[in-house]
Amino acid sequence: MSSIGTGYDLSVTTFSPDGRVFQIEYAAKAVDNSGTVVGIKCKDGIVIGVEKLIASKMMLSGSNRRIHSVHRHAGMGVAGLAADGRQIVARAKSEAHNYESTYGEPIPIKELADRVASYVHLCTLYWWLRPFGSGVILGGYDRDGPQLYMVEPSGVSYRYFGAAIGKGRQAAKTEIEKLKLSELTCRQGVIEVAKIIYGVHDEAKDKTFELEMSWVCDESNRQHQKVPEALLEEAQAAAKAALEEMDAD
Amino acid sequence: MDRDATSDVNAPHSMGTTIIGVTYNGGVILGADSRTSTGLYVANRASDKITQLTDNVYICRSGSAADSQIVSDYVRYFLHQHTIQLGQPATVKVAANLVRLLAYNNKNSLQTGIIVGGWDKYEGGKIYGIPLGGTIVEQPFAIGGSGSSYLYGFFDQAWKDGMTREEAEQLVVKAVSLAIARDGASGGVVRTVTINSEGVTRNFYPGDTLPLWHDEVEAHGSLLDILNASNPEPMST
């Protein structure tokens, strides 16, 4: 539902006559145009995957990380403007640290998501601040089990079984809906996420991409970490094979 | 001479105190005596040293009455906000941590030893001892206050893991009454609070229901009992 907001889109503190804040919607477009980020909640944990579009062949592989650990038990995948995303991650780390210092326990994921969302929303309230041009998918494992949240530039935050943001989000969401998440382990989930990301990558429009994945599950001892090399390679191989199968049809 | 700290009724109130917290199979029991003293004067002989922080977390207070009350007021306030924010009851660990942050960061101004006890759905019944400097120690049982000096050996011998509720309650009442017998700054009645998955129960054991220990003399009622007796001669029993 794109429309031009001429006259009402110069400031984040201006509403349009039909009740929209265009600056926030424009911020969301920055997220929509970025590489896809996918997150799913399996029965024993969370898997996050990112389609890292490679801007230049000179970049070292493994650099420009898009998934960050916020605390031992939680991590977030970032889409949209990278620098904005870095700020959100920094804030999340700070909130998690402060919570633990005060309350003596790791921050519950719901609380972390609320705090990140409040912070992102804060930047949509003042004319002298611009909204964040990034959205995040937050996954973590606390004493209530694994949980997945998504925070958008508007400051909205919901809990999900599966979520996707960025270019290929529509296709990704369709694929996620086909999965029986409550029966998948994270090991299987990693393979599925890789397949989804390879599947939604548009060869024609975009250049090469690098797959970055992380998980937090029982197998990783409830710590947020990069998916182990061996499993990552297995996932990539399976994804490429699935693509060829599709092409062969 | 009459205005020194031992007999001035306006001197700072201190709870000499015996306080205890024990875990049992299913929850915790907190126990305390009821004497608040200002020097040698008993300012309150029926005080309640077991204070509520939330529906599922209580604390035993010892040391300076004012200091322990202020700390419990602050922590109750913080926990209330935390509960609203979280959308569910706070855990005992969080309550204990808030108490110890106050105790540690204000160690130069405060003089209070606290035992935090409660039940939550994640860890069950838990006891945390927070003595004078602001350390926090999670223990299967904790003792505190001036009367606790006389209970270390007793608990070494009498404590068992996995007691039933009745066993634990009897242990607590026995221990407090033993401390009351030897510690001049502890006395009055024994109060207990039991916290488990079903909720909270308060119990009260008046002085005359407590057992008499070695060399203790039976308590008498008031003078009215003597006057109403058939033989109204004082000192006849």
Side-chain angles (χ1 to χ4, degrees), chain B residues 2-224:
Chain B
D2 266 359
R3 292 227 122 237
D4 65 21
T6 53
S7 49
D8 180 5
V9 299
N10 294 316
H13 285 27
S14 151
M15 296 171 300
T17 306
T18 306
I19 49 173
I20 299 178
V22 314
T23 57
Y24 72 91
N25 181 19
V28 299
I29 303 192
L30 300 177
D33 74 307
S34 70
R35 178 171 290 184
T36 306
S37 39
T38 42
L40 296 175
Y41 175 68
V42 176
N44 186 349
R45 60 188 167 101
S47 50
D48 183 5
K49 303 180 186 180
I50 308 178
T51 303
Q52 181 181 28
L53 293 185
T54 68
D55 287 343
N56 57 319
V57 180
Y58 280 66
I59 60 167
C60 296
R61 301 178 291 110
S62 77
S64 154
D67 288 354
S68 64
Q69 284 172 9
I70 269 290
V71 167
S72 82
D73 285 349
Y74 270 115
V75 177
R76 189 180 307 118
Y77 169 66
F78 294 141
L79 278 177
H80 184 217
Q81 293 192 317
H82 180 68
T83 303
I84 291 171
Q85 180 72 14
L86 233 54
Q88 56 183 47
T91 57
V92 189
K93 187 172 188 190
V94 164
N97 202 55
L98 290 172
V99 172
R100 77 91 181 205
L101 283 178
L102 282 172
Y104 177 75
N105 289 323
N106 297 292
K107 60 163 76 199
N108 293 326
S109 322
L110 292 175
Q111 206 176 66
T112 168
I114 290 172
I115 296 179
V116 180
W119 184 95
D120 62 60
K121 69 181 187 199
Y122 298 106
E123 300 278 340
K126 284 286 180 194
I127 293 284
Y128 292 86
I130 303 165
L132 241 44
T135 21
I136 178 171
V137 189
E138 199 252 297
Q139 301 166 295
F141 70 88
I143 56 179
S146 56
S148 67
S149 314
Y150 309 103
L151 296 177
Y152 284 97
F154 172 72
F155 269 91
D156 281 348
Q157 191 242 28
W159 161 261
K160 299 179 293 172
D161 202 11
M163 288 183 286
T164 65
R165 180 191 172 150
E166 290 71 29
E167 282 175 325
E169 181 111 5
Q170 275 160 29
L171 179 67
V172 167
V173 175
K174 183 174 180 183
V176 178
S177 84
L178 279 167
I180 287 174
R182 286 292 180 180
D183 178 32
S186 298
V189 306
V190 177
R191 296 189 195 273
T192 66
V193 171
T194 307
I195 312 171
N196 52 33
S197 59
E198 279 141 42
V200 177
T201 317
R202 265 194 181 276
N203 275 323
F204 165 78
Y205 299 85
D208 53 2
T209 63
L210 300 175
L212 286 171
W213 303 113
H214 174 59
D215 267 357
E216 279 197 299
V217 179
E218 246 184 64
H220 282 297
S222 73
L223 270 176
L224 289 173

Side-chain angles (χ1 to χ4, degrees), chain A:
Chain A
M1 207 189 31
S2 287
S3 54
I4 310 175
T6 319
Y8 302 109
D9 60 350
L10 295 177
S11 159
V12 78
T13 52
T14 306
F15 277 97
S16 73
D18 52 348
R20 296 156 69 176
V21 183
F22 279 99
Q23 277 296 307
I24 298 180
E25 296 190 18
Y26 296 162
K29 294 229 175 68
V31 179
D32 293 344
N33 291 336
S34 106
T36 315
V37 178
V38 169
I40 56 171
K41 171 171 130 60
C42 307
K43 70 178 176 190
D44 64 336
I46 307 284
V47 179
I48 301 177
V50 178
E51 173 203 14
K52 262 192 327 196
L53 298 168
I54 299 180
S56 146
K57 292 203 173 83
M58 298 303 282
M59 274 174 59
L60 201 61
S61 110
S63 68
N64 190 31
R65 287 196 62 79
R66 298 275 294 279
I67 305 181
H68 303 90
S69 278
V70 166
H71 204 43
R72 284 180 298 275
H73 65 311
M76 50 173 58
V78 178
L81 301 178
D84 286 13
R86 199 166 46 236
Q87 279 303 103
I88 299 180
V89 171
R91 179 72 183 210
K93 287 179 180 172
S94 167
E95 294 282 2
H97 180 83
N98 281 336
Y99 183 96
E100 182 149 0
S101 296
T102 307
Y103 297 105
E105 57 168 17
I107 185 168
I109 309 303
K110 173 175 186 295
E111 181 66 19
L112 180 60
D114 277 351
R115 291 192 182 197
V116 170
S118 284
Y119 180 60
V120 170
H121 176 242
L122 184 79
C123 299
T124 66
L125 293 173
Y126 303 103
W127 62 264
W128 37 267
L129 274 180
R130 67 164 174 79
F132 280 104
S134 28
V136 303
I137 291 188
L138 208 195
Y141 204 140
D142 65 21
R143 62 188 182 198
D144 291 316
Q147 291 153 69
L148 183 71
Y149 287 87
M150 178 163 89
V151 184
E152 298 170 27
S154 58
V156 180
S157 158
Y158 292 119
R159 191 173 161 188
Y160 291 91
F161 293 109
I165 42 182
K167 282 191 169 108
R169 68 188 177 289
Q170 295 290 39
K173 281 187 218 169
T174 318
E175 289 305 307
I176 294 173
E177 280 167 28
K178 292 181 190 163
L179 297 172
K180 286 215 181 80
L181 291 170
S182 54
E183 290 166 22
L184 280 180
T185 62
C186 274
R187 227 160 220 275
Q188 298 162 321
V190 167
I191 315 276
E192 295 301 329
V193 168
K195 284 188 197 164
I196 292 173
I197 292 191
Y198 270 81
V200 305
H201 176 68
D202 192 336
E203 284 295 337
K205 287 210 191 121
D206 300 313
K207 287 165 268 197
T208 47
F209 78 103
E210 196 185 316
L211 175 67
E212 190 179 320
M213 289 214 281
S214 77
W215 66 359
V216 51
C217 56
D218 291 336
E219 206 182 312
S220 74
N221 225 341
R222 304 194 182 184
Q223 313 274 41
H224 179 255
Q225 46 180 233
K226 275 163 52 163
V227 167
E229 265 309 304
L231 182 57
L232 187 63
E233 278 165 14
E234 193 191 320
Q236 282 174 314
K240 284 182 190 144
L243 265 186
E244 273 154 25
E245 245 184 68
M246 264 173 26
D247 288 344
D249 285 337

